Amino acid sequence: MKFYISAAGIKKVTISSPGGAIGKGCGAARRFPGRKLLLLLLMLAILLPFIFVRFAFLVLESASVCDSPLDCMRVRLFRGGDTSLKIREELTRALVEETSQDGNGRGQRGSLESFDELVKEMTLKRRDIKAFASVTKKMLLQMERKVQSAKHHELVYWHLASHGVPKCLHCLSLRLTEEYSVNAMARTRLPPPESVSRLTDPSFHHVVILTDNVLAASVVISSTVQNAVNPDKFVFHIVTDKKTYTPMHAWFAINSASSPVVEVKGLHQYDWPQEVNVRVKEMLEIHRMIWRRHYQNLKDSDYSFVEGTHEQSLQALNPSCLALLNHLRIYIPKLFPDLDKIVLLDDDVVVQRDLSSLWETDLNGKVVGAVVDSWCGSNCCPGRKYKDYFNFSHPLISSNLLQDDCAWLSGMNVFDLKAWRQTNITEAYSTWLRLSVSSGLQLWQPGALPPTLLAFKGLTQSLDPSWHVAGLGSRSVKPPEEILKSAAVLHFSGPAKPWLEISNPQVRSYWYRYVNSSNIFVRKCKIMN
């Protein structure tokens, strides 16, 4: 074969064969245009570098992500999208194998702490996909345990914060105690002599508050009076302990001009029979035993909880579960022997409507009127079904209650004391406490409410849910804004009381609007800050 290039330039190439014609028509020379050959060489010069780079990339990539580099290159050279599916399948298989080898799926100590360390490990040691899956799984499991542990500790610390008393409330009590000792007005009689007859007059609306919190009591009374159609019809009976009696008396003696009839009485001022004192002492001791057992169980389990019971378990450890004032509610008929009908308000409520119609409510022969169904609908009571308070694995409980029934709300209740005195409710309460002891203290969680629910079984009249919206001191209850505005009583039941920093700012404002911000002691103690 010979090439002939004309002298006029590369316009054509002539290829001839010296062996003569081979077959028909082969004697003639075959000619290719020079422009086509030049174009072909140019295209090859452009494409060959890209092909080389692509080939090199596949070789390097396949060495780290595929079991066989040749298989990976063969697939990805023409169908790059299918390789991702293959890699995903291999990664899944590696994770499954790693989990089965690891047993319970928990990560091991010594795993990498950060993504940067993972990249460095994979780059320097050129790990295969199985090693990558193993290390990644251990990292994720370790991070998951850290997140769960952080959430758990945050919940515990949140509840611990609810046990303390803010500095501003300490300041208020101390300043009022000082005022009681130096100011004669702070020691004036409550109520004044001309209003003493109202304390037992059944034509007035009697409100009972058992509390050791001066500021909270002032908000309850202030909100009730400001929203009452006829404030002069209300008579407030405050029962407090000996420690709080002095500042409580001083507050309402100084601010008596803006308040209706208020009686402040300390527990040390009651002259109870020896029999009642013995039963109260026995009641408190049993509640302490239940509390200590619950605390020891949580401590032994390193404060681990069954799913969904975190808040209830920690809330049961609140010191208020052992407070004498909380447990004395079962003795209200003895605290007020001359009254026939009262409304009992907790100190963590705020009143937004006139309560006068509660005294006209027909209880149909029942002893207590209370809200049973919540704002969310019939038989809707998140966090306060009987199963949230009682141990239904015990036959004493399962034979008396249904675990999915709603427990009635305490904190705003109407009591017919005349009907109460005709029953054996207080005796039934004491009987259930003794049964709890004989059953190994396993019937219910700590607190005064569980035995109260048992003692009042069948003696509760349901009220309209708009009277009482509770749970505002809890994280799990978040009523709509229109429900909050229309409710007669907002109850900050739960750890996050409105005077604490951990309370919800969105609902705290409903309580703070009734704090007497112009009071000199409130300003000096910086309560509004």
Side-chain angles (χ1 to χ4, degrees), residues 256-273:
S256 59
S258 59
S259 303
V261 175
V262 178
E263 177 193 28
V264 178
K265 199 168 184 180
L267 291 175
H268 59 288
Q269 296 174 323
Y270 283 91
D271 186 16
W272 287 346

Side-chain angles (χ1 to χ4, degrees), residues 57-67 69 72 87 90 122 126-130 132:
F57 175 77
L58 290 176
V59 170
L60 294 174
E61 188 182 41
S62 61
S64 60
V65 299
C66 295
D67 294 337
C72 192
I87 296 173
E90 292 181 1
M122 295 297 105
R126 299 186 61 81
R127 301 288 191 180
D128 58 10
I129 194 169
K130 187 173 182 180
F132 173 79

Side-chain angles (χ1 to χ4, degrees), residues 419-435:
W420 189 334
R421 296 184 185 101
Q422 297 173 359
T423 67
N424 62 343
I425 290 176
T426 305
E427 290 74 14
Y429 184 93
S430 300
T431 300
W432 275 108
L433 288 179
R434 297 188 190 100
L435 286 173

Side-chain angles (χ1 to χ4, degrees), residues 321-394:
C321 292
L322 301 176
L324 174 60
L325 291 173
N326 281 339
H327 295 290
L328 280 181
R329 301 178 189 193
I330 199 67
Y331 287 98
I332 283 181
K334 295 186 180 298
L335 290 172
F336 302 98
D338 299 321
L339 298 181
D340 291 336
K341 199 169 189 179
I342 67 165
V343 169
L344 178 65
L345 294 179
D346 279 1
D347 61 1
D348 55 352
V349 306
V350 61
V351 179
Q352 299 187 125
R353 284 203 331 242
D354 181 33
L355 301 182
S356 300
S357 58
L358 286 175
W359 281 266
E360 302 170 1
T361 302
D362 185 7
L363 298 182
N364 297 317
K366 304 296 178 63
V367 175
V368 57
V371 170
V372 178
D373 295 324
S374 292
W375 51 269
C376 52
S378 178
N379 201 34
C380 174
C381 46
R384 59 177 184 86
K385 292 189 175 183
Y386 283 134
K387 63 182 179 183
D388 297 317
Y389 300 102
F390 296 97
N391 176 19
F392 275 87
S393 63
H394 199 285

Side-chain angles (χ1 to χ4, degrees), residues 167-181:
K167 179 181 177 181
C168 59
L169 295 188
H170 276 300
C171 170
L172 182 64
S173 293
L174 292 175
R175 288 186 177 274
L176 287 171
T177 301
E178 181 185 15
E179 190 71 13
Y180 185 88
S181 63

